[in-house]
Structure formats: C-alpha cells, structure tokens
Amino acid sequence: MTTPRRIAMLSVHTSPLDQPGVGDAGGLNVYVLDLSRALARRGVEVEIFTRATASSQPQVVEPEAGIRIVHVPAGPFEGLAKHDLPGQLCAFTAGVLQAGAGRSPGWFDAVHSHYWLSGQVGWLAAERWDVPLVHTMHTMARVKNDALAIGDVPEPLGRVIGEEQVVAAADALVASTAAEAADLTRYYAANPTKIHIVPPAVDLSIFHPLDESIQCGNGEHQFGFGVHSRRARRKLRDGLGLPEDAPVVLFAGRVQLLKGPDVLVRALVSMPPEARLVVLVGQSGRPTALRELEVLASLHGVRDRLLLHPPVGRAQLADWYRAADVVAVPSHNESFGLVAAEAQACGTPVVAANVGGLPTVVQDGVTGVLVDGHEPGTWAQVLSGLLTDHPRRAALGAAAAAAARRFGWDATAEAILDVYAAAQRLRYGA
C-alpha cells in the first residue's frame, strides 16, 4: 500500500480547538491536534470531525495548512454532558457520512477514531468508505472501574459494551504504553497482533526549560536541557503572582476524583507550613467540584495555602510548570500522563502515582518519584522531602528535560503512519 494521503480523524466529545482543562477537554484534544499537525508536516491531509457546540461555530475551520476541522451538528449545541452523547451518535454519524458523500470514492485512506464514542462512529464510517479503522482508546471503562477513587461513580455498562465493539471492529489499536496494550488484551480480549504501542508526544517548542531557549538567526528556537536559575524562576513567579520563595506544588488537571487533587489537599496538612498547592484548571464532572475542593481545604485548615487558578493556554501552562518546584500527578489511573511529560520537558521534577502509563513517563529516582497508593501521609512525606532538597530537585529536573527528547511529535507521527499502513495491509490483504 502507498503512504496514506488523507485521514479522517474523529473526536466526537471534545474539539481539538477547545481549551484544555475546561469541561471534558484535556490530553485527548491536545493529542488529536498535535498529531494532526505532525502528519500535515508530512504531507498528509487530516480532516477532523467533532461535534458542534455553538451555533456561532463555522462549519469548517482550517487552523493551518493540511488540517480541516469540521463541526458536525448532533443534538443541542449546549447542555449536553459527555454521558449524554451516546444518544447523539446516529446524528453525528449521519453528518460525517454526509460530508464524505460529497467526496470522490477512495478519498480517505483511513479513519482514526479517539475515545469509544468516536470509535462507534468510525466503525460505521470505515465500513461505508471501505477503509481501515484505527482506534485509540485514551481511557477504558473497565480499567477506570478497577481503580475508582472513594466516592467516584463507575462507568456505565453501555460504555463497556461500546468499547468491546470498537476493539473488535478496529483494524488497528494504538496503545500509548505497554501497560495499556496489556489492558486491552486483559480487559477486552483484543487481538495482540492488532495492537501497536506508540507513545504520545510533547510539543518541545513550547515545553522546555526556562533558561535554555535561545533565538537563532533563522528565527527558530533551539533548546538545551538545563534547569532554571533562581533568578529566572523568581522573575517568572512574579509575573504569575506566585510567592517568590514559597515551595510550590502544582496540580494541572481536571478537578475530578479520578485525578486525585483531594489527595494533595489532605497531604498539604503535613507538609511545611510555607508550602503552597496550586490547582491550575477548571472543574469537570460535578458542577460543585471546585467548591468541594475549597471546602476540603477549609476543613483541614489549609485553605490559605491552596491557590486556585483558571485554565491557561499552553504557552502560559509551560510557565506554570517552570515556576513550580514540583508537579504532582496523583491520578488513580492514567493511560499515559501528558501533564507529567510536559512538566518534565520543562525541567520540573514530577511526583506521580505508580499507576497506568505514568511509570513509562516518570523514571523513578531519575526524572521524578513514583508513589505507591494514595495515602495522603505518604504523599506529604515524598513531596516534603523534595521541596526541602534543592540539589535533588535540580538533578531530577535536568534528567527530566533530557529524557523529554524521546517524546517529540515527529517520531510519533512516523510511527502512526506505520500503523495506518499496517491497518491497510490487514484490511486489504496486501
């Protein structure tokens, strides 16, 4: 088979243009957009289908050469949560197929769907267009249900069944890590020969150590892998409104029980009194999630040490990573852990839960620290130890930035192109 020329990318529940950290936007939509950009740089045209969420949205947006984002009407523009979307999949599929009907036969070379909702649509679109279906799970209901935080709600049976169907229908499955590949076979009886391990990536032109950005004569940036100087960090913190000398732990992720921000609030009680916890993101799921976090901090007497900040764009997010002493990722499950990878690329050590794909990103004792379990006292001990040990933090940060070089999008795009080719061979018997 020839190299794919045109790919239909499906992201039903979150647009690649959405602000990460708002609603259901997060690592998935960053992944879709950055992968599409890397594919476009290789001459592949990518058409991304996502659900329209406002009447003011143009039907088609072309953020850059080689990428078209198509907003498909499916149900009310507003007021639908992610768990309401299964009822709109027929409408969304109709919109996708209608868009494809205006193209000549063989226009798309493959369908790449993201998350199970998109997989349900991709299954039908791939059959209609007679092209392979490549699917990336991002998260899995059965894995999540086996790692529920106390008080969290399990994923419904309908999602489990939907995921089983997509796994069976796909010509190729993309797993971020070996752990995710094992979960696909363990929980969903996936055919191991269809699974391809392709780590996600980080935009290294945005996420890099503070001190190592140098302007070249051609206008491009090159980056080394050092660590931040105290002077540079002080200036950065001043611009972000952070205490100049206080130890800062940063949490960047949706405020939901799965991500574990409550673990950090409880841990803060046993950490040095000058330590601050910054929660950089909006709420997701329960409308009262942020308020509940504030109440929890008040009940434990640390409300004045909890700093809440709304989501920011990726360039400013990189500054928050650099300004922090440590980035904490206490998730109960992560298929990969994009926040951990981004933070390390910025030269900041990460303390992460030893779950899912996080051990692939965080090298314990080398680029950060992995913590078994979610007991607040254990997290307090590990975080306090790092916050009071500047030489160790500096060594971990330098190693983290160097290790980030393996998470570039160009390598990921090349590997994904190989997956598309393998899916074509499987479907067409070539």
Side-chain angles (χ1 to χ4, degrees):
M1 300 302 296
T2 60
T3 301
R5 302 162 301 153
R6 301 185 185 96
I7 300 298
M9 201 85 72
L10 300 178
S11 181
V12 171
H13 77 282
T14 179
S15 167
L17 300 178
D18 288 345
Q19 168 68 56
V22 176
D24 290 312
L28 187 154
N29 54 309
V30 172
Y31 180 108
V32 169
L33 184 58
D34 281 352
L35 173 59
S36 298
R37 285 171 168 161
L39 290 172
R41 289 196 294 269
R42 281 153 181 75
V44 179
E45 297 178 28
V46 182
E47 193 154 354
I48 305 170
F49 295 91
T50 190
R51 194 178 76 87
T53 55
S55 58
S56 59
Q57 286 177 320
Q59 182 179 2
V60 176
V61 177
E62 298 186 11
E64 54 192 77
I67 301 175
R68 298 179 81 245
I69 298 175
V70 181
H71 295 110
V72 179
F77 291 122
E78 299 176 355
L80 288 184
K82 185 165 64 174
H83 62 260
D84 297 318
L85 295 183
Q88 302 304 320
L89 291 183
C90 284
F92 189 90
T93 302
V96 171
L97 294 181
Q98 184 177 19
R103 302 290 176 75
S104 58
W107 182 265
F108 292 114
D109 296 303
V111 172
H112 190 169
S113 54
H114 298 267
Y115 192 67
W116 78 276
L117 293 171
S118 301
Q120 289 282 312
V121 178
W123 177 14
L124 297 175
E127 286 298 317
R128 176 67 182 84
W129 297 332
D130 189 24
V131 296
L133 172 63
V134 176
H135 182 71
T136 304
M137 298 290 278
H138 292 280
T139 65
M140 289 176 265
R142 282 184 168 147
V143 175
K144 180 180 177 181
N145 289 347
D146 264 6
L148 283 180
I150 296 175
D152 206 353
V153 179
E155 292 297 306
L157 179 60
R159 175 180 172 182
V160 174
I161 295 172
E163 289 178 340
E164 290 175 336
Q165 292 170 332
V166 172
V167 167
D171 297 288
L173 296 162
V174 177
S176 296
T177 64
E180 186 180 4
D183 286 339
L184 279 166
T185 57
R186 174 188 174 192
Y187 288 98
Y188 294 90
N191 183 341
T193 63
K194 292 184 179 182
I195 302 173
H196 305 263
I197 300 173
V198 182
V202 173
D203 188 339
L204 299 177
S205 69
I206 296 174
F207 300 100
H208 57 83
L210 180 66
D211 297 342
E212 303 302 318
S213 173
I214 52 177
Q215 189 76 30
C216 303
N218 60 3
E220 297 180 351
H221 287 82
Q222 291 182 347
F223 308 104
F225 295 92
V227 293
H228 324 303
S229 71
R230 290 174 184 259
R231 177 182 176 183
R233 186 183 297 244
R234 190 179 306 120
K235 182 178 179 181
L236 185 57
R237 284 194 175 187
D238 183 61
L240 296 175
L242 286 174
E244 183 177 303
D245 297 317
V248 172
V249 176
L250 175 67
F251 171 90
R254 294 192 297 278
V255 178
Q256 51 186 210
L257 291 172
L258 175 68
K259 299 295 184 179
D262 57 299
V263 174
L264 300 179
V265 170
R266 292 184 170 94
L268 195 57
V269 178
S270 303
M271 291 167 60
E274 65 274 16
R276 298 293 183 267
L277 170 62
V278 176
V279 173
L280 182 69
V281 83
Q283 63 191 26
S284 177
R286 297 189 315 279
T288 58
L290 278 176
R291 179 58 184 154
E292 290 172 11
L293 201 65
E294 291 180 288
V295 170
L296 181 65
S298 296
L299 289 174
H300 284 82
V302 294
R303 179 62 189 88
D304 59 330
R305 297 164 58 192
L306 172 65
L307 309 178
L308 301 177
H309 195 283
V312 297
R314 290 203 286 174
Q316 193 174 5
L317 175 59
D319 282 341
W320 281 93
Y321 287 143
R322 298 175 188 123
D325 293 291
V326 176
V327 171
V329 186
S331 303
H332 291 265
N333 184 258
E334 289 284 354
S335 58
F336 177 66
L338 185 61
V339 165
E342 290 174 344
Q344 290 187 158
C346 289
T348 301
V350 172
V351 175
N354 189 15
V355 298
L358 286 168
T360 301
V361 180
V362 179
Q363 300 173 54
D364 190 29
V366 178
T367 67
V369 180
L370 294 172
V371 180
D372 292 321
H374 296 82
E375 202 282 312
T378 302
W379 280 80
Q381 183 178 9
V382 172
L383 289 168
S384 297
L386 270 185
L387 292 175
T388 56
D389 191 343
H390 176 73
R392 187 184 180 205
R393 289 202 317 275
L396 292 174
R405 284 175 287 186
R406 63 194 171 110
F407 291 123
W409 274 111
D410 288 334
T412 296
E414 290 291 345
I416 289 292
L417 285 174
D418 289 340
V419 175
Y420 295 158
Q424 288 178 321
R425 289 193 296 270
L426 181 63
R427 186 173 187 90
Y428 303 129

